[in-house]
Amino acid sequence: MAHALDTAAPALLRNSQLDTPAIRQARIDLAACFRMAAKLGLQEGICNHFSFVVPGHDDLMLVNPYGYAFSEVTASNLVICDFQGRVVAGNGVPEATAFYIHARLHMKHARAKAAFHTHMPNATALAMLEGPPLVWAGQTALKFYGRTLVDEDYNGLALDEREGDRIADSLGDADIVFMKNHGVMVVGPSIAEAWDDLYYLERAAEVQRLAMTTGRPLKPVTEEIAKATYTQMREGDRESAFLHLESIKRQLMKEQPDFAD
């Protein structure tokens, strides 16, 4: 299902500007997200992708290389490419849909420093249903109140700039897109915040799907309570996300320390 990016554009010259402490830290943080996503079963073969705009270089992105499962990603094997598909640091190329989706997202939305796309099972299951995917019936779901949209127009694989542009344009002001018949996209201003949203989105989807299997009707909260709870949750959300990422790095350093290599 995955496709290597086919580009005739020459690679740009590699240079020490792409080996700064900030970029090294971004590599470690992003690799940690891949490993924990694999551990939690949020990946799908070699098909899904996370990207992050390279610190200090708004025209470049860090992304996983084609052919690697999330569990194989390390800080050093992430590649850096420009928005024309030229790899400027690292070995290999991005997966084709990763490039066409993520490059266009980063180009069109300066606020989307991190972009995480998965076919994680529970959120994707909700994206396959008619109607709104999330029901505001569980506390965890309320973290996303007013922050989601639904892309109803599934159009096959994103193997060209036109489809990449269509997906990027669908984002609007949302942080989370349920891509009908496809999966989800989560964007954020930092790796930590994108990870935190991705994790809790899947947890919210999981409990909703579990509740739906009972055959009993869901009990949504009122709009007033949904708004108030969302406001409560968003207070300190950035700090909480940072601490969440630090927590997974500590866990991985004990279990899979090679992620930081």
Side-chain angles (χ1 to χ4, degrees):
M1 288 170 53
H3 296 70
L5 179 65
D6 181 14
T7 176
L12 301 182
L13 293 176
R14 292 155 170 77
N15 58 68
S16 60
Q17 292 181 354
L18 298 180
D19 193 26
T20 65
I23 295 173
R24 176 62 183 167
Q25 188 61 58
R27 285 181 173 276
I28 291 171
D29 290 350
L30 195 57
C33 294
F34 281 110
R35 289 297 186 92
M36 187 56 73
K39 183 177 178 181
L40 297 175
L42 308 187
Q43 82 295 340
E44 185 171 72
I46 59 170
C47 295
N48 296 171
H49 15 87
F50 298 167
S51 64
F52 184 62
V53 173
V54 175
H57 300 270
D58 289 343
D59 58 341
L60 302 174
M61 67 176 180
L62 269 169
V63 66
N64 45 315
Y66 172 66
Y68 284 74
F70 280 14
S71 60
E72 298 178 292
V73 171
T74 67
S76 60
N77 69 23
L78 292 166
V79 299
I80 295 178
C81 70
D82 67 13
F83 296 153
Q84 288 70 52
R86 296 173 295 193
V87 173
V88 301
N91 296 315
V93 296
E95 198 270 334
T97 61
F99 170 72
Y100 287 114
I101 294 174
H102 291 245
R104 310 312 284 183
L105 269 175
H106 293 310
M107 287 175 65
K108 289 174 173 282
H109 300 280
R111 66 185 179 85
K113 297 298 185 185
F116 287 12
H117 171 60
T118 74
H119 303 163
M120 53 191 188
N122 293 288
T124 300
L126 297 187
M128 295 166 59
L129 302 175
E130 291 281 0
L134 271 186
V135 177
W136 310 116
Q139 177 172 285
T140 303
L142 299 180
K143 174 179 170 66
F144 306 106
Y145 186 79
R147 300 175 60 207
T148 69
L149 64 77
V150 178
D151 176 12
E152 295 279 1
D153 300 319
Y154 177 68
N155 198 35
L157 299 184
L159 293 175
D160 55 42
E161 291 182 355
R162 183 173 60 179
E163 181 61 6
D165 283 335
R166 189 197 67 76
I167 291 172
D169 291 340
S170 76
L171 180 66
D173 296 325
D175 298 325
I176 293 93
V177 180
F178 282 91
M179 306 164 78
K180 281 295 181 85
N181 313 107
H182 186 174
V184 295
M185 175 66 74
V186 174
V187 303
S190 68
I191 292 171
E193 288 165 278
W195 167 257
D196 198 60
D197 278 347
L198 188 81
Y199 172 83
Y200 284 110
L201 181 65
E202 179 67 353
R203 295 294 288 173
E206 182 180 18
V207 294
Q208 179 177 314
R209 183 186 60 78
L210 182 61
M212 291 167 67
T213 64
T214 68
R216 298 170 60 184
L218 297 175
K219 185 180 185 298
V221 303
T222 65
E223 183 176 353
E224 179 182 9
I225 292 297
K227 288 181 178 178
T229 307
Y230 162 79
T231 300
Q232 291 175 322
M233 287 186 165
R234 292 296 277 172
E235 293 175 0
D237 211 22
R238 180 170 297 179
E239 179 184 13
S240 178
F242 171 79
L243 293 174
H244 187 184
L245 181 57
E246 292 301 301
S247 172
I248 72 167
K249 287 189 289 186
R250 287 194 300 271
Q251 294 173 61
L252 290 169
M253 285 304 297
K254 294 178 180 178
E255 302 167 5
Q256 305 174 39
D258 65 311
F259 85 92
D261 291 350

